[in-house]
Amino acid sequence: MLDRREFLATTFAAGVALPALHTPVFSKASFPVGQGTVDIVSDGHLELPTGMILGRVPEAERATFLAANNLPKDVVRSSLNLTLYRDGDRTVLFDVGSGPNFMPSAGKLGEALETAGIAADDVTHVVFTHAHPDHIWGVLDDFDELAFGNAEYLMSAPEWDYWFNPETVNKVPENRQSFAVGARRNMAAIEDKCSKFKAGEEVLPGIAAVDTAGHTPGHTSFHIQQGSDSVMVIGDVITNPLYSFSNPDWQMGTDSDAAQGVKARKMLLDRMAAEKMQIIGYHLPHPGTGYVERKGSAFAYVAS
């Protein structure tokens, strides 16, 4: 079984040490969207080397920004916020978290759902933003069985084609090969239960796919709309409450196509600011809900 040791051994080969990990709080936020309800539960958090995230930003610019905002220079800590949308007979989960084999600070979704009073068997649909480990490795539980055995699965066709291709592992950087192996392994478990969609399509009634490719080839955000109520599940197109908004032109080290990632981020920030739509950010501070405001030539995050 692929486990987190391979990821840690490759990603932290430069000798960056993880700080002490914190026990996540299994809280949840809930709010209505039309006749439906959105719940946000925590899968824990990640602690990653700053160089892995901001390695494409000039070192002096990065150091100045981190110091000015009193942020640690070596580690980026980010929440893992999963969205659950319930509407009548449907219980739709967006992504499935990290599972048991990625990081000890993550993979807490099962406990969080239990604490929130939500049974895994009640999930009718799982919709993926993309297939990075912290979004798809939770497909399988500790016993290599489907964690959401009653669910139908949905993923964008470009995302599926990219990660399920056995040649992808040979095309990604060495320290991301475990990502490709793990994605294909988990996808194989749902191959017969997964439908593919294209950007712009309504994947389920009231849920539309929005093309935000760049972080991965088929990264997708989702617009949930019921009547005049709406919210955008943004996935990883926007990941940090500070630099993703104040410096949207920064190219992220975790994006497979960094230039396209910038275009997707600016497009979504511009749209969310104009429409004053609530967003749910997978990696924004828990519970990850808020709004986008214009601030000069850039933007600002307003938590809600």
Side-chain angles (χ1 to χ4, degrees), residues 95-99 126 128 130-140 153 155 159-160 163 179 182-188 190 282:
D95 296 327
V96 291
S98 306
V126 170
F128 293 103
H130 64 297
H132 274 168
D134 52 322
H135 296 257
I136 197 172
W137 283 17
V139 160
L140 297 172
Y153 297 81
M155 182 182 291
E159 189 75 359
W160 182 277
W163 293 106
F179 287 20
R184 195 172 194 279
R185 177 176 179 269
N186 284 275
M187 291 163 71
I190 59 171
Y282 197 84

Side-chain angles (χ1 to χ4, degrees), residues 2 4 46 77 129-130 150 163 180 195 222 268 276 280:
L2 184 72
R4 70 183 185 89
L46 300 181
R77 185 180 190 272
T129 61
H130 64 297
N150 294 335
W163 293 106
S195 300
F222 296 96
L268 198 63
K276 298 182 176 10
I280 303 173

Side-chain angles (χ1 to χ4, degrees), residues 3-290:
D3 62 34
R4 70 183 185 89
R5 288 190 296 273
E6 179 180 356
F7 170 77
L8 294 173
T10 55
T11 301
F12 302 106
V16 178
L18 280 172
L21 298 173
H22 305 278
T23 301
V25 177
F26 299 128
S27 61
K28 76 180 180 78
S30 300
F31 55 89
V33 178
Q35 298 301 309
T37 301
V38 164
D39 299 286
I40 303 170
V41 294
S42 174
D43 190 50
H45 70 274
L46 300 181
E47 300 196 21
L48 299 171
T50 301
M52 178 182 177
I53 310 297
L54 299 178
R56 289 172 170 150
V57 179
E59 186 174 356
E61 184 178 358
R62 179 177 73 204
T64 298
F65 180 89
L66 295 175
N69 289 280
N70 197 30
L71 296 173
K73 64 180 181 179
D74 296 327
V75 175
V76 173
R77 185 180 190 272
S78 62
S79 299
L80 299 171
N81 306 308
L82 285 96
T83 302
L84 194 85
Y85 175 67
R86 293 185 281 182
D87 181 11
D89 295 331
R90 293 182 302 154
T91 298
V92 184
L93 180 65
F94 294 85
D95 296 327
V96 291
S98 306
N101 299 307
F102 187 51
M103 280 191 179
S105 59
K108 314 302 183 182
L109 177 59
E111 299 167 64
L113 288 174
E114 183 178 354
T115 301
I118 301 167
D121 286 346
D122 291 339
V123 174
T124 59
H125 300 83
V126 170
V127 184
F128 293 103
T129 61
H130 64 297
H132 274 168
D134 52 322
H135 296 257
I136 197 172
W137 283 17
V139 160
L140 297 172
D141 62 18
D142 291 336
F143 303 99
D144 271 358
E145 297 179 351
L146 290 178
F148 303 96
N150 294 335
E152 299 176 28
Y153 297 81
L154 300 98
M155 182 182 291
S156 79
E159 189 75 359
W160 182 277
D161 292 343
Y162 177 77
W163 293 106
F164 205 64
N165 184 342
E167 291 303 314
T168 295
V169 69
N170 300 316
K171 298 177 181 179
V172 298
E174 185 177 356
N175 66 349
R176 305 292 174 87
Q177 287 180 344
S178 63
F179 287 20
V181 174
R184 195 172 194 279
R185 177 176 179 269
N186 284 275
M187 291 163 71
I190 59 171
E191 183 177 9
D192 296 335
K193 303 182 69 174
C194 189
S195 300
K196 289 78 175 180
F197 58 81
K198 297 179 181 178
E201 292 182 350
E202 188 177 53
V203 299
L204 291 168
I207 302 175
V210 179
D211 182 8
T212 47
H215 184 64
T216 59
H219 185 281
T220 305
S221 300
F222 296 96
H223 182 198
I224 305 173
Q225 183 168 16
Q226 294 290 334
S228 60
D229 292 345
S230 63
V231 64
M232 186 74 74
V233 180
I234 63 176
D236 283 12
V237 66
I238 299 165
T239 56
N240 186 274
L242 294 176
Y243 52 73
S244 291
F245 295 82
S246 63
N247 298 77
D249 287 316
W250 277 3
Q251 294 192 355
M252 295 293 101
T254 51
D255 289 350
S256 61
D257 185 332
Q260 182 59 38
V262 168
K263 291 180 182 179
R265 180 161 51 256
K266 293 175 72 174
M267 176 277 294
L268 198 63
L269 285 167
D270 186 71
R271 176 181 172 183
M272 295 298 94
E275 298 184 15
K276 298 182 176 10
M277 189 188 302
Q278 186 173 11
I279 62 173
I280 303 173
Y282 197 84
H283 292 297
L284 296 177
H286 188 75
T289 61

